[in-house]
Each structure stands twice: as structure tokens, then as C-alpha cells.
Amino acid sequence: MKKYGGFTMFSNYQEVNMFLEGRKQLGVKPGLDRVYFLLERLGNPERTIRAIHVAGTNGKGSTSTYIKEILGSGGWKVGTYTTPHITGLKGEIEIDGKQMTDTQSVRLVNRMLPAIQALDDIGNPPTAFEIKTVAAFCFLDENAEISVIETGMGGLEDATNCFIPILSIITNVGLDHQRMLGETIAAIASHKAGIIKQHVPLVLGDVTEEAASVILKKAKGLRSPVYQIFKDFTVTNVTAEHPEYTEFTFECNGLSQEAVISMAGRHQVKNAALALMAVKLLEDCFPMEWKRVLQGLQRAAITGRFEKVHDHPAVIIDAAHNPEGLAAFLQTVEYFYSDKKKRLLFAAFKDKPLQKMLSQLGNDFQSVHFTSFPHERAASAEVLQTHYPGKNSKIEKWENVIRNHLGSTGESILFITGSLYFIELVRKFFVKR
């Protein structure tokens, strides 16, 4: 670190990362006042950025990836902000699928330091997520033609909810983060609906009637036109015969397009449809040939989403980090691998509805291995096992489970799921091999 103008400046990315990690002790703080303070000191990039805002309990990452690949296929310079990422800030902000460099990250946070210090001095320190969000707005505004920004949690009081998007998307509404967002679907839907802005179109995914009534009421009050899946656009002729190749027909207002996606699971068809609807709504500002649209859609892939990271013996990872995500994961496992021998390795955060998640597992797996990983929110393997009704479970270090499987005859498939952070650790293990 070095001093500059009275402030201690960072000289490398490791120092930036340590600084942001230290801020995590501040937790989640309600309100957007700190975000607006930082943005104002940095030239109000939220006023000039052209971006899509995406909220939802599940499907945000997949939907955002489809949109990114589609727009990129059309030649547009596309920025994304998605959290969390195992590499921290530089992995959460991308332009055309490429992470920020260490140098760009250091320069960006150093530029923010006087404003951060000003808030610290008055006893209102910004959180790590707030700092990273403002950094994202600065970088994307300066380097992208269009961006896709995911909410961190909820929507209404989320740090990303500080701009007027060109389009809003709510993928779905499920029970997650109840401590912060409320105990009911209606309460959580109200938070998600916070990203709806006056006259800005909303693309709405497959939600329950309880969630829809809250969201549609908010949209009506803000005169925001709504395009809801299975009402204003739909998918038909879904054919999924292979995990890496699903066909369907996208239909909207007389348009009918046959499409293919590479991400596994029938639930991904809905995410792809949301992306196609979004691109169609933006065609006046960001015109594209449908040939390019469909090419980008098929090319889209996201690490850690039912991804095969090893073959012979097979290892498949999936970041199913809440009840709805786990249900979709289990449906995909059953659909494609019902006749195979299967083992499961599971780790999750302790603030998730673990009992509800683990009660879904049933008897599909020959053995279930519970483990933990280094993170302050990680549940212990012992706690996870107490929520599992089956008798075929073991507690083991995750590295040992993987090594034992890799040394096996290859008759069974090892599925690894749970926390996104855990899945990133596992993926790193395989990528390094």
C-alpha cells in the first residue's frame, strides 16, 4: 500500500481483496443512501448506464448468461455484474465474458477510496457489496454498450436498485433469504418487485398466483408493461433427449422460432424464453438477426450449472443452493440418469432452509456424503446430516470423496451440489488437475 493525497492506496489485487473481505463483517445493511453517496462522488454512472436489471430466486445467472451470449453474438459489447465469484470483485464484473484485470480492479477501487473514507469518517461505512456494486456501475458504464446486472438479494433494498433500467426481468419467486426478505412468497415478491420502474417493460417468469398478484399490482401502479411467460409468450415442443441439447419452439405474437440450448434441465427452457423475450423487446435499440440470436442462445453455458467436470468416472456439479434449485437439479438427475448408479456430495450455507432442502433427496442415491468448506456461513457436515431422513449418509472431507470416486471403476456418477461458493471450490479442484 502507498499513501496518496492523505489516503492509503492499494498497490495490488490481493490488497483490494483483503480490504473487501474485511468489510464483510458489516453484513447486509438496509437502505441505498451509501450507494447513492458513492455514485454521486464518482460522477453518477447510474444515470447514463444502459442496462437490464434481473431479479429472482433462481435462474438469474442462466437468464443473464443467455442474454449476454445472444447480444454478444450480435456484435454488441456486453457487460455483466453477477455475484458472488470465488475470485472476488474482478470475477464479478465482466465485459464480453472477460473478467476485469488486476490492474483495472486496483485502479477502480483506489478511485473510490476518498468517497469510501468519507462515509467511514461519519460512522456510516459502506459494505463490501455496496462498494463492489458501485465499482460495477462505474466500470460497465465506461466500457460496455449494454449491461446485464443481477440483484444480490431481493430487489427493493438491494444495492443494485439504484438506476433506471432499459428492461426489468423477474425470473421467479421462491423461499430464500427469508431472514432478510420475509417469510412468505408475497413478502419476497414485494422485494423482487422493487426493481420495477415507471414505464420500463417487465419480463416475468413462471411465478405462483400469490407472487404474480403482488408483482402485477406494482407494475400496474407504475404503468410498466408486463410480458409474462405462458401468457404473452410461450414455449412449445420441448424435446430433451440429452443433457447438452434441448430443443423447443419460442412463440410470441405471431413469431415462432425453433431454438436449441446447451444447458441441461427442462427448467432452463423457461430461462431461455425469458432471454429471448428480453432481446425481442430491445430489438429497436439493439437490433439483431434471429439467426445470430439463436446461435448465441445455443452457445450459452454457465459453469457450475449441471456441468460435467470429469468423465470416466463421471462427475457432475450443480449449484442448487435453495429448495427450488435442488428440486430442479433432482428432476434433471432423474430425467437423464434414472437407470444409473448415483452418489451425492452435498455442502451448503447454514442460513438456508436445510431441512426443506434435504427432505427432498429421497432414495435416488446409493450414498449421500455430507461435507463442509472454509467459509463463515458454511454449515457443518454434522448439522447437514441431522436434516437428512435417509440412512445411507456419511460425513467426509469433500476432497477425499472426489479422490475415492476418481479411483473407482466408473460404474457410478458422482453428483456434487449445494452452495455456489462450494461448487466454485470443487470446480477449481478439477480445473487445476
Side-chain angles (χ1 to χ4, degrees):
M1 290 188 180
K2 58 186 179 181
K3 291 279 187 179
Y4 180 79
F7 297 99
T8 302
M9 309 294 279
F10 302 112
S11 53
N12 58 59
Y13 183 68
Q14 287 70 30
E15 291 175 356
V16 169
N17 231 3
M18 287 176 61
F19 170 71
L20 292 171
E21 282 294 317
R23 292 260 160 176
K24 286 185 177 179
Q25 65 184 346
L26 296 170
V28 178
K29 297 166 70 174
L32 297 176
D33 58 311
R34 291 169 300 279
V35 174
Y36 282 121
F37 181 93
L38 295 174
L39 288 167
E40 198 262 333
R41 295 294 182 96
L42 289 154
N44 294 114
E46 81 285 2
R47 295 180 183 175
T48 49
I49 194 170
R50 301 184 84 190
I52 300 164
H53 205 184
V54 186
T57 305
N58 292 293
K60 292 196 302 282
S62 298
T63 303
S64 298
T65 299
Y66 285 128
I67 294 171
K68 175 188 74 175
E69 290 295 340
I70 290 170
L71 291 170
S73 180
W76 299 102
K77 196 172 186 180
V78 188
T80 53
Y81 176 50
T82 60
T83 59
H85 194 280
I86 199 166
T87 63
L89 176 68
K90 70 177 184 179
E92 294 167 350
I93 304 171
E94 293 185 349
I95 302 290
D96 290 340
K98 295 178 181 177
Q99 297 183 3
M100 279 201 305
T101 65
D102 287 10
T103 301
Q104 288 171 326
S105 304
V106 171
R107 188 181 299 136
L108 186 54
V109 178
N110 278 339
R111 186 171 134 204
M112 296 175 64
L113 277 176
I116 295 168
Q117 188 65 55
L119 284 172
D120 288 352
D121 289 344
I122 61 172
N124 193 18
T127 67
F129 183 61
E130 289 169 343
I131 293 169
K132 291 191 292 184
T133 297
V134 173
F137 274 89
C138 291
F139 193 77
L140 298 177
D141 180 51
E142 293 167 2
N143 293 281
E145 292 175 303
I146 181 171
S147 297
V148 186
I149 294 172
E150 293 181 29
T151 60
M153 187 190 303
L156 181 64
E157 295 182 328
D158 189 77
T160 63
N161 198 29
C162 58
F163 74 114
I164 305 298
I166 56 176
L167 182 73
S168 302
I169 301 174
I170 299 176
T171 58
N172 56 32
V173 180
L175 292 173
D176 200 3
H177 301 298
Q178 287 105 307
R179 188 174 62 85
M180 300 298 299
L181 305 180
E183 296 295 331
T184 66
I185 290 292
I188 295 171
S190 182
H191 274 273
K192 308 288 184 196
I195 71 165
I196 302 171
K197 301 297 188 297
Q198 193 158 18
H199 303 301
V200 175
L202 169 70
V203 178
L204 181 59
D206 190 13
V207 298
T208 64
E209 287 186 19
E210 184 181 5
S213 65
V214 172
I215 293 167
L216 295 175
K217 182 179 179 181
K218 179 71 178 286
K220 185 178 180 180
L222 292 171
R223 297 180 182 177
S224 170
V226 178
Y227 301 85
Q228 188 172 0
I229 194 168
F230 304 132
K231 290 188 177 179
D232 303 288
F233 62 102
T234 192
V235 289
T236 59
N237 306 321
V238 179
T239 305
E241 297 178 355
H242 189 275
E244 296 172 5
Y245 194 88
T246 301
E247 299 174 284
F248 67 95
T249 303
F250 173 76
E251 297 180 358
C252 174
N253 197 26
L255 173 72
S256 181
Q257 290 285 345
E258 293 180 6
V260 175
I261 55 172
S262 303
M263 288 197 243
R266 295 173 76 89
H267 62 285
Q268 287 292 359
V269 172
K270 296 178 188 177
N271 297 329
L274 297 181
L276 291 173
M277 189 68 234
V279 171
K280 187 175 188 307
L281 289 171
L282 295 175
E283 60 189 358
D284 287 345
C285 300
F286 297 91
M288 287 184 61
E289 297 176 5
W290 269 94
K291 178 183 176 183
R292 298 264 188 183
V293 169
L294 299 173
Q295 286 173 346
L297 187 78
Q298 185 170 359
R299 189 171 60 237
I302 187 167
T303 58
R305 297 297 192 276
F306 216 86
E307 178 187 11
K308 183 181 280 189
V309 290
H310 195 273
D311 213 347
H312 309 299
V315 180
I316 294 173
I317 62 175
D318 189 81
H321 58 94
N322 54 36
E324 290 80 9
L326 190 60
F329 162 75
L330 293 171
Q331 287 167 9
T332 306
V333 170
E334 172 63 21
Y335 188 86
F336 289 112
Y337 301 100
S338 60
D339 59 338
K340 302 288 185 182
K341 294 179 180 179
K342 299 177 282 291
R343 301 164 67 213
L344 181 72
L345 175 60
F346 184 91
F349 283 152
K350 58 190 175 186
D351 53 3
K352 296 291 181 176
L354 298 175
Q355 187 168 352
K356 184 173 182 179
M357 291 176 72
L358 294 172
S359 65
Q360 299 181 65
L361 291 183
N363 301 309
D364 292 335
F365 300 95
Q366 289 180 302
S367 60
V368 176
H369 304 263
F370 291 113
T371 192
S372 192
F373 54 99
H375 194 285
E376 68 271 11
R377 287 172 59 200
S380 70
E382 290 77 12
V383 166
L384 292 172
Q385 192 179 45
T386 63
H387 293 294
Y388 177 59
K391 306 295 184 186
N392 59 335
S393 65
K394 302 175 183 177
I395 292 174
E396 292 183 70
K397 289 185 177 180
W398 63 267
E399 297 95 336
N400 292 345
V401 176
I402 292 172
R403 289 191 183 102
N404 289 339
H405 179 73
L406 295 180
S408 70
T409 59
E411 291 182 4
S412 66
I413 301 172
L414 177 62
F415 292 92
I416 306 175
T417 192
S419 160
L420 175 60
Y421 191 91
F422 171 59
I423 293 303
E424 287 179 338
L425 285 176
V426 171
R427 194 173 189 280
K428 201 173 181 182
F429 175 93
F430 282 96
V431 170
K432 280 188 171 183
R433 290 179 65 82

